[in-house]
Amino acid sequence: MNHTPRPSTPVRRLLLAASAGAVLLLAGCASDKPAQNTTFDFGPAANPVQSARAPIAAVVVGEVTGSAALDSERMYYRLNYSDPLQARAYANSRWSATPLQMVTQRLKSRIAQSGAKVLSVSDASDGVPILRLEIDDFSHHFESQTSSHGQLVLRASLFQGHKLIDQKTFDRKTPATSADAGGGARALAGATDTVASDVIAWLAALPLKKE
């Protein structure tokens, strides 16, 4: 009777180790899944302290405009200590809407909370002031690996009867509580709320004609 020779003990150990490695490799490939995106927004708009008088009776608030980069859900950050000219996007973090849409909605909400009637372009009537807004910067800036802030630079122009009443640029920075996308999102939400308050105060101080 023929007997198949059995591998020696060292060879058997090598074969078993190779088989075990192959099983682990296959298991690792099977469990490899793409990282899930985390989505951020500004959170609910808290009610501010109501002033005795609305800053403006009624205003048409146009859609906020800005660069093409702000017309997507990507979250951008800059390493100012290394290469401030390069805007980088977080790999697995996104906004729930574009920054242009989010800032538009936040400013409309804040202005309405102040007591003013917020109208759309299609609802505008003669003599109602028109507020046009443009974003120059909306990103998470790192001064170092552990220190960062969210910055919003927004230019506001108010027109009435096709005449420019005033134009002002608002620049606000809010420190980030953590050096990641979540910290940047919270800081940018804070910067946006602060700019909204600045815009409301600016509107209240402008000399507008009563139609």
Side-chain angles (χ1 to χ4, degrees), residues 61-104:
V61 181
E63 299 297 313
V64 176
T65 60
S67 67
L70 298 176
D71 200 19
S72 77
E73 289 79 15
R74 290 184 177 182
M75 297 182 68
Y76 287 98
Y77 66 95
R78 291 180 185 272
L79 303 180
N80 294 342
Y81 62 89
S82 172
D83 187 3
L85 300 184
Q86 183 178 357
R88 297 169 167 85
Y90 281 107
N92 301 116
S93 298
R94 297 287 187 272
W95 291 113
S96 61
T98 72
L100 298 180
Q101 294 169 329
M102 293 173 65
V103 174
T104 297

Side-chain angles (χ1 to χ4, degrees), residues 12 34 42 53 67 117 120 123 130 137 156 175 181 185 187-188 196-197 209:
R12 284 203 306 272
F42 288 163
R53 182 174 63 89
S67 67
K117 293 180 173 63
S120 65
D123 296 331
I130 298 175
D137 187 23
L188 283 165
S197 297
K209 293 187 299 182

Side-chain angles (χ1 to χ4, degrees), residues 56-186:
I56 191 170
V59 62
V60 175
V61 181
E63 299 297 313
V64 176
T65 60
S67 67
L70 298 176
D71 200 19
S72 77
E73 289 79 15
R74 290 184 177 182
M75 297 182 68
Y76 287 98
Y77 66 95
R78 291 180 185 272
L79 303 180
N80 294 342
Y81 62 89
S82 172
D83 187 3
L85 300 184
Q86 183 178 357
R88 297 169 167 85
Y90 281 107
N92 301 116
S93 298
R94 297 287 187 272
W95 291 113
S96 61
T98 72
L100 298 180
Q101 294 169 329
M102 293 173 65
V103 174
T104 297
Q105 187 56 45
R106 195 61 149 200
L107 264 69
K108 285 183 176 181
S109 296
R110 290 299 192 185
I111 294 172
Q113 287 175 350
S114 72
K117 293 180 173 63
V118 176
L119 307 176
S120 65
V121 175
S122 60
D123 296 331
S125 58
D126 291 341
V128 177
I130 298 175
L131 180 62
R132 302 192 187 281
L133 305 161
E134 184 175 2
I135 294 177
D136 289 329
D137 187 23
F138 182 86
S139 51
H140 187 190
H141 291 264
F142 284 83
E143 295 86 24
S144 68
Q145 292 183 355
T146 57
S147 176
S148 63
H149 64 268
Q151 183 169 10
L152 171 61
V153 181
L154 180 141
R155 183 166 56 258
S157 305
L158 189 71
F159 296 84
Q160 188 176 28
H162 304 290
K163 178 183 177 182
L164 176 64
I165 302 300
D166 196 13
Q167 183 181 87
K168 187 171 182 178
T169 297
F170 301 90
D171 184 352
R172 286 291 187 172
K173 302 176 183 177
T174 300
T177 56
S178 58
D180 55 14
R186 289 185 290 273

